[in-house]
Amino acid sequence: MAAILFQSPNPYRNLNTRAYKTKVSRNENLAKLQAGYLFPEIARRRAAHMLKYPDAQVISLGIGDTTEPIPEVITSAMSKRSYALSTVDGYSGYGAEQGAKQLRAAIASTYYADLGIEEDDIFVSDGAKSDISRLQVLFGSNVTMAVQDPSYPAYVDSSVILGQTGQFQKDVEKYGNIEYMRCTPENGFFPDLSTVRRTDIIFFCSPNNPTGYAASREQLTRIVQFAKENGSIIVYDSAYAMYVSDDSPRSIFEIPGAKEVALEVSSFSKYAGFTGVRLGWTAIPKDLLYSDGFPLAKDFNRIVCTCFNGASNIAQAGGLACVSAEGIKAKTHHTFGSTFLAGSWDVFSEILEKTHVVTTPGSGFGPGGEGFVRVSAFGHRENVLEACRRFKQLYK
Amino acid sequence: MAAILFQSPNPYRNLNTRAYKTKVSRNENLAKLQAGYLFPEIARRRAAHMLKYPDAQVISLGIGDTTEPIPEVITSAMSKRSYALSTVDGYSGYGAEQGAKQLRAAIASTYYADLGIEEDDIFVSDGAKSDISRLQVLFGSNVTMAVQDPSYPAYVDSSVILGQTGQFQKDVEKYGNIEYMRCTPENGFFPDLSTVRRTDIIFFCSPNNPTGYAASREQLTRIVQFAKENGSIIVYDSAYAMYVSDDSPRSIFEIPGAKEVALEVSSFSKYAGFTGVRLGWTAIPKDLLYSDGFPLAKDFNRIVCTCFNGASNIAQAGGLACVSAEGIKAKTHHTFGSTFLAGSWDVFSEILEKTHVVTTPGSGFGPGGEGFVRVSAFGHRENVLEACRRFKQLYK
């Protein structure tokens, strides 16, 4: 008999080859995935390190997690909504799958004023990661896709899971059938579109995770033009838009014509420290059409109604407070930015061992990340400064 | 030129055949879906009726929505968690994708004591509907599935979306490649398994939505045996388990051997009126293996980590209060049950027009529902009684 096929023995160590097995075949797309999803793997290594050095002052600049308390104007709105659920007048059951009308309207007017995005173009979600996956379910297995390289791993992994890709090719560290748009210091972290193959879908995140680079208006105009020429759809991830401090666009819809070729995924996670509260949205213009003229938003609406039951009403109350005048004034300002240092998993381990700082190996974001580690600058200011001191000590 | 293909003109009425179209093909699985998802369609008809009769006392017994306030021991836990997010000590960012360790442990010990389901077998979710869809992503497009007929429409619709089915066959009102297990008054709403074709996946909901029937221990033993002989996987939906008042099992894992062939999806929606708060879980035993011996739970863990970022931390605080000794004592008791009356969409319309009571046409739950309407008994007690009076008046 063949040995059982999985390698990680714990917590499944008691299984043996004589165990009962169903006759259901494992989804072959899942088998294509390499190692664990990046961030749980880092959390695992961090936990192991803390076991090994229980007294070390570990600083976590790995996962780009928010650290600062949420302004009270927002938490008190959530607190009140919670309490109200104990009253006859304040109780409510199922909400609209697409989100509360008032919140959809507020998102449209706050983030898309004069950009032609309307209340019913907004789909409120439990966060960008969930919506990326719902978008992949929408597109199905017969589309081709392009990603910035390096990029947030959920784009590629969800594409693999949905069966859009070929096998992982170890020699080039890429999945077959995905177009990796290389973003390097040499091209200013914006891809050379003249070398990019046409795909159905283009994932594009700006400011980019992990490089931190925000594309300029001229660059975004080029990518919209590129999509239009190719008949592609851009999935624009603007989760970090609030960190734009120059005149770079905060929404793809600032670019003329973008509504015919792009949709936008965004999130309250970094706007308001909502990584644990869970709230985001996707904006899909009515002008975005499939090749047969069918509006993409109509199918996404069907996905949302069938596969989702709306974001928590308490989180939505918090979202509404975020975009109120008071909420915008009180907004938590998290530091953002990520620094790329040379190295990858080996350097990750060296940094962790010698400085007790958790980073993220660049290779986790795609082959273009090899040779870098990402140091998230989310974190308490004093921790970021302390980490810098330790790096200087290590690499002096 | 062909006319544009979609039929519902609003809100897309300004589009025309000369509009720019991308070159991306619409996902053909979405095109297979019939009409809208059931419940939004009912909400639409209800709204239209209220416009037509603005002064009518409409009673909604259509969507099975909760109506009673949540006990304060639960909402105050959520309220406190919300406020704490404004403090340095109480703030937390990303939680574990699988849910907070403490809540996973509490769910395991509250609902699965002595059933061999452990803390790490529990995946906390934002509700059963989302998890059904994530399970379909897990299974992929190459599995076959069976459903009770009638049943909750999300099973079939998500199966269609993932590409597991053929086209909808209008003559029999069924999708190709799905095994419909007929549940009728004649067979006591439990399928005759001797006529059921082998499938990879069997969706089974008990107490069942919409029939209200709870399968007995002997019947569940038979279906576990059936799955074992066929090497099938049962997706057991126990969202209504709290309404079991006799000795019918509340979990599939009460049946010996079920852990080798079944997983269980459940929810706080009806336990605690959390339809708007959004919290549920899926329990996947370590003994549940694919044909190659790979544990299903390991792949589901990967799906959860890639496609989801955990349930709202505030909702999870509420869940923890639900399963505390105080929370269990204070539990809201919603009326449950659904009555099947003869008729379908036409009778739905007649009832709505003549009594202003919103029901659900049985055909929305599958061809086996034709000839029935579902009258949800979720609702304020006085409303349910008033609806009964109106029915008696209409059908006297």
Side-chain angles (χ1 to χ4, degrees):
Chain A
M1 286 296 291
I4 44 175
L5 296 182
F6 60 96
Q7 298 181 323
S8 177
N10 188 351
Y12 302 94
R13 59 182 173 278
N14 296 325
L15 296 175
N16 60 63
T17 53
R18 301 169 67 106
Y20 174 86
K21 300 177 191 72
T22 65
K23 290 178 186 155
V24 179
S25 299
R26 183 183 179 204
N27 183 341
E28 59 185 14
N29 297 318
L30 270 293
K32 288 177 195 166
L33 287 168
Q34 298 303 298
Y37 181 75
L38 178 63
F39 298 114
E41 175 65 20
I42 290 169
R44 216 177 48 73
R45 292 193 182 212
R46 175 175 177 273
H49 184 78
M50 289 172 80
L51 272 180
K52 190 172 166 193
Y53 300 100
D55 298 326
Q57 297 287 331
V58 173
I59 299 177
S60 291
L61 302 177
I63 300 165
D65 198 1
T66 49
T67 54
E68 303 306 305
I70 301 172
E72 271 189 35
V73 57
I74 297 167
T75 59
S76 78
M78 296 194 287
S79 190
K80 277 181 200 144
R81 187 75 191 90
S82 300
Y83 265 129
L85 293 172
S86 282
T87 65
V88 172
D89 287 346
Y91 183 77
S92 61
Y94 289 118
E97 288 91 343
Q98 305 86 348
K101 189 177 162 64
Q102 204 186 347
L103 179 57
R104 298 172 81 187
I107 290 171
S109 65
T110 304
Y111 299 116
Y112 303 104
D114 306 321
L115 297 181
I117 297 293
E118 300 169 293
E119 172 195 320
D120 60 349
D121 301 332
I122 304 292
F123 296 84
V124 177
S125 74
D126 62 325
K129 200 185 186 187
S130 298
D131 259 2
I132 287 163
S133 169
R134 279 188 284 268
L135 285 165
Q136 296 285 23
V137 170
L138 171 77
F139 297 134
S141 57
N142 291 324
V143 296
T144 51
M145 62 103 88
V147 290
Q148 288 154 293
D149 177 27
S151 67
Y152 179 48
Y155 310 137
V156 166
D157 284 2
S158 59
S159 178
V160 174
I161 289 170
L162 264 289
Q164 298 165 1
T165 76
Q167 296 291 339
F168 187 74
Q169 298 154 354
K170 282 198 195 302
D171 53 338
V172 288
E173 300 266 318
K174 294 177 179 181
Y175 290 95
N177 211 31
I178 287 188
E179 181 70 8
Y180 291 78
M181 304 185 294
R182 200 61 170 258
C183 299
T184 62
E186 288 69 38
N187 61 24
F189 296 112
F190 186 83
D192 175 2
L193 296 174
S194 72
T195 66
V196 172
R197 181 173 56 101
R198 189 252 167 214
T199 59
D200 291 317
I201 312 296
I202 301 169
F203 279 89
F204 200 90
C205 176
S206 179
N208 179 263
N209 174 12
T211 67
Y213 181 74
S216 69
R217 192 169 305 270
E218 184 273 331
Q219 288 172 328
L220 289 183
T221 302
R222 265 195 278 155
I223 202 152
V224 164
Q225 190 57 35
F226 179 75
K228 205 155 219 169
E229 283 162 9
N230 286 317
S232 305
I233 293 172
I234 299 169
V235 176
Y236 191 77
D237 185 339
S238 66
Y240 299 91
M242 78 169 294
Y243 299 105
V244 171
S245 54
D246 59 12
D247 65 348
S248 296
R250 292 174 179 224
S251 164
I252 190 70
F253 302 122
E254 293 183 34
I255 308 300
K259 286 204 291 293
E260 295 175 336
V261 293
L263 61 90
E264 184 164 305
V265 177
S266 202
S267 167
F268 284 98
S269 284
K270 274 74 185 191
Y271 273 93
F274 266 31
T275 44
V277 173
R278 309 305 311 141
L279 196 70
W281 72 87
T282 291
I284 307 187
K286 296 176 189 67
D287 293 344
L288 183 60
L289 306 178
Y290 286 120
S291 56
D292 65 1
F294 196 91
L296 189 141
K298 279 197 79 172
D299 271 352
F300 190 68
N301 187 62
R302 190 63 154 85
I303 295 282
V304 164
C305 288
T306 306
C307 307
F308 183 54
N309 241 330
S312 174
N313 47 16
I314 300 169
Q316 291 192 63
L320 206 51
C322 286
V323 294
S324 70
E326 266 193 307
I328 288 172
K329 216 169 61 187
K331 203 169 53 188
T332 316
H333 279 284
H334 286 90
T335 325
F336 171 71
S338 47
T339 310
F340 259 32
L341 301 174
S344 202
W345 275 113
D346 51 342
V347 175
F348 167 92
S349 300
E350 183 186 325
I351 291 174
L352 181 57
E353 191 70 27
K354 296 194 176 162
T355 70
H356 305 302
V357 176
V358 181
T359 59
T360 308
S363 62
F365 300 93
E370 186 61 48
F372 298 90
V373 297
R374 185 187 75 164
V375 184
S376 165
F378 282 110
H380 301 300
R381 186 172 169 78
E382 60 272 33
N383 283 347
V384 175
L385 294 175
E386 169 61 20
C388 292
R389 275 191 291 273
R390 294 188 196 170
F391 290 154
K392 279 189 192 158
Q393 191 66 24
L394 178 63
Y395 292 110
K396 70 183 172 188
Chain B
M1 285 295 292
I4 46 173
L5 296 181
F6 59 96
Q7 297 179 323
S8 176
N10 187 351
Y12 301 94
R13 60 182 173 279
N14 296 326
L15 295 176
N16 62 62
T17 52
R18 300 168 66 107
Y20 174 86
K21 299 176 192 73
T22 65
K23 291 179 186 154
V24 179
S25 299
R26 183 183 179 205
N27 182 342
E28 57 185 15
N29 297 316
L30 269 294
K32 290 178 193 165
L33 287 168
Q34 298 302 298
Y37 182 75
L38 179 62
F39 298 114
E41 174 65 20
I42 289 169
R44 217 177 48 72
R45 292 193 182 213
R46 176 176 177 274
H49 184 77
M50 289 173 82
L51 271 180
K52 189 173 167 192
Y53 299 102
D55 298 327
Q57 297 286 330
V58 173
I59 299 177
S60 291
L61 302 177
I63 299 164
D65 198 1
T66 48
T67 54
E68 304 306 306
I70 301 172
E72 272 189 35
V73 56
I74 297 166
T75 58
S76 78
M78 295 194 286
S79 191
K80 275 181 200 143
R81 187 75 190 91
S82 300
Y83 266 129
L85 294 172
S86 283
T87 66
V88 171
D89 287 345
Y91 182 77
S92 62
Y94 290 118
E97 288 90 344
Q98 305 89 346
K101 189 178 163 64
Q102 203 186 349
L103 178 58
R104 298 173 81 187
I107 290 172
S109 64
T110 305
Y111 300 115
Y112 304 103
D114 305 321
L115 297 181
I117 297 293
E118 299 168 293
E119 173 194 318
D120 59 349
D121 301 332
I122 304 292
F123 296 85
V124 177
S125 75
D126 62 326
K129 199 186 189 189
S130 298
D131 259 0
I132 288 164
S133 168
R134 279 188 283 266
L135 285 165
Q136 296 283 26
V137 170
L138 171 77
F139 297 135
S141 57
N142 290 324
V143 296
T144 53
M145 62 104 86
V147 290
Q148 286 154 295
D149 177 27
S151 68
Y152 177 50
Y155 310 139
V156 167
D157 284 3
S158 59
S159 178
V160 174
I161 289 171
L162 264 290
Q164 298 166 0
T165 77
Q167 294 292 337
F168 188 73
Q169 298 154 353
K170 282 199 194 303
D171 52 339
V172 289
E173 300 266 319
K174 294 178 180 182
Y175 290 94
N177 211 31
I178 287 189
E179 181 70 8
Y180 291 78
M181 305 186 293
R182 200 62 170 257
C183 299
T184 64
E186 288 70 37
N187 62 23
F189 296 112
F190 187 82
D192 175 3
L193 295 174
S194 72
T195 66
V196 172
R197 179 172 56 99
R198 189 252 166 214
T199 59
D200 291 316
I201 312 297
I202 301 169
F203 278 88
F204 200 89
C205 177
S206 180
N208 178 264
N209 174 11
T211 68
Y213 181 75
S216 70
R217 192 169 304 270
E218 184 273 331
Q219 288 172 328
L220 289 183
T221 302
R222 265 195 278 154
I223 202 152
V224 164
Q225 190 56 36
F226 178 76
K228 203 154 220 168
E229 284 162 8
N230 287 317
S232 305
I233 293 171
I234 299 170
V235 176
Y236 191 76
D237 185 341
S238 66
Y240 299 92
M242 78 168 297
Y243 298 105
V244 171
S245 53
D246 60 10
D247 65 348
S248 295
R250 292 175 179 223
S251 165
I252 190 69
F253 302 122
E254 294 182 35
I255 308 300
K259 286 204 292 290
E260 294 175 339
V261 293
L263 60 91
E264 185 164 305
V265 177
S266 202
S267 167
F268 284 98
S269 284
K270 274 75 185 191
Y271 275 92
F274 266 30
T275 45
V277 173
R278 309 304 313 140
L279 196 70
W281 72 88
T282 291
I284 306 186
K286 295 175 189 68
D287 292 345
L288 183 60
L289 307 178
Y290 286 119
S291 57
D292 64 1
F294 196 91
L296 190 141
K298 277 196 79 171
D299 270 351
F300 189 68
N301 186 62
R302 190 63 153 85
I303 295 282
V304 164
C305 289
T306 307
C307 306
F308 183 54
N309 241 331
S312 174
N313 48 16
I314 300 169
Q316 291 193 65
L320 206 51
C322 287
V323 294
S324 69
E326 268 195 305
I328 287 173
K329 215 170 61 185
K331 201 170 52 188
T332 316
H333 278 283
H334 285 91
T335 327
F336 171 71
S338 46
T339 310
F340 258 32
L341 301 172
S344 201
W345 274 114
D346 50 343
V347 175
F348 167 91
S349 298
E350 185 186 324
I351 292 174
L352 181 57
E353 190 70 27
K354 296 192 176 163
T355 70
H356 304 303
V357 177
V358 181
T359 60
T360 309
S363 61
F365 299 95
E370 187 60 49
F372 298 90
V373 296
R374 185 187 75 164
V375 184
S376 165
F378 281 112
H380 301 301
R381 185 172 169 78
E382 59 272 34
N383 283 347
V384 174
L385 294 174
E386 169 61 19
C388 291
R389 276 191 290 274
R390 294 186 195 171
F391 290 155
K392 279 189 189 157
Q393 190 65 23
L394 178 64
Y395 292 110
K396 69 181 174 192

